[in-house]
Amino acid sequence: MPTINKYVDIDTVEREAKKDYIDRHSPFIHCDAEAKKGEIFAVTVKMGEEYTHPDDFDHYIANIALYNGETLLARADFVAGTLGNEKSHTTVTFNIRPMGKKLNLTAQAYCTKHGIWESTPVEVAVAE
């Protein structure tokens, strides 16, 4: 079973190189705090808030997946060079249709050099 790396608040990290390493590998979920049941709801996942990730042929973000609890909702796959072989924030927007009372969203991203990274969970209320 692969190790899943989890985000650590970089304000608590002293070394700049460690902050860069943690932030650029961590997926961050951006969405509204409330969704409407049965209506399309946009969830954007962005790799890194402050630091960008490489897009080299041997070191890139291969995929980003979005989960509601343990249920996979969507996944986007990338090939090396998709972002022009430049450092950037790999970003994808998933359009989902919530049907329950709430969403417990978590994103995971796979870096070809440093493995799986998981976001901080985000809870979204679902209104009728």
Side-chain angles (χ1 to χ4, degrees), residues 19 28 39 43 49 53 67-68 76 82 102 111 117 119-120:
K19 288 181 182 187
F28 292 87
E39 293 186 14
V43 180
E49 289 284 44
H53 191 280
Y67 292 84
N68 180 25
T82 299
K102 69 179 177 177
C111 169
W117 291 76
S119 71
T120 301

Side-chain angles (χ1 to χ4, degrees), residues 21-59:
Y21 176 75
I22 292 168
D23 183 81
R24 70 181 161 142
H25 286 100
S26 297
F28 292 87
I29 296 173
H30 299 276
C31 64
D32 292 335
E34 186 174 300
K36 292 198 178 198
K37 187 175 184 175
E39 293 186 14
I40 296 296
F41 181 68
V43 180
T44 299
V45 181
K46 175 183 171 188
M47 293 303 298
E49 289 284 44
E50 297 181 33
Y51 299 89
T52 56
H53 191 280
D55 182 39
D56 301 328
F57 287 100
D58 64 340
H59 184 196

Side-chain angles (χ1 to χ4, degrees), residues 18-120:
K18 184 79 171 171
K19 288 181 182 187
D20 178 350
Y21 176 75
I22 292 168
D23 183 81
R24 70 181 161 142
H25 286 100
S26 297
F28 292 87
I29 296 173
H30 299 276
C31 64
D32 292 335
E34 186 174 300
K36 292 198 178 198
K37 187 175 184 175
E39 293 186 14
I40 296 296
F41 181 68
V43 180
T44 299
V45 181
K46 175 183 171 188
M47 293 303 298
E49 289 284 44
E50 297 181 33
Y51 299 89
T52 56
H53 191 280
D55 182 39
D56 301 328
F57 287 100
D58 64 340
H59 184 196
Y60 64 97
I61 300 300
N63 63 62
I64 297 173
L66 180 68
Y67 292 84
N68 180 25
E70 294 182 2
T71 302
L72 175 65
L73 299 176
R75 185 174 118 160
D77 292 306
F78 305 94
V79 295
T82 299
L83 302 172
N85 298 102
E86 295 184 15
K87 282 185 136 189
S88 64
H89 296 282
T90 305
T91 304
V92 63
T93 298
F94 298 109
N95 291 304
I96 62 172
R97 192 179 304 269
M99 300 307 289
K101 294 183 194 260
K102 69 179 177 177
L103 296 168
N104 292 306
L105 301 175
T106 305
Q108 287 185 346
Y110 177 68
C111 169
T112 58
K113 197 171 197 174
H114 300 106
I116 300 170
W117 291 76
E118 187 171 279
S119 71
T120 301

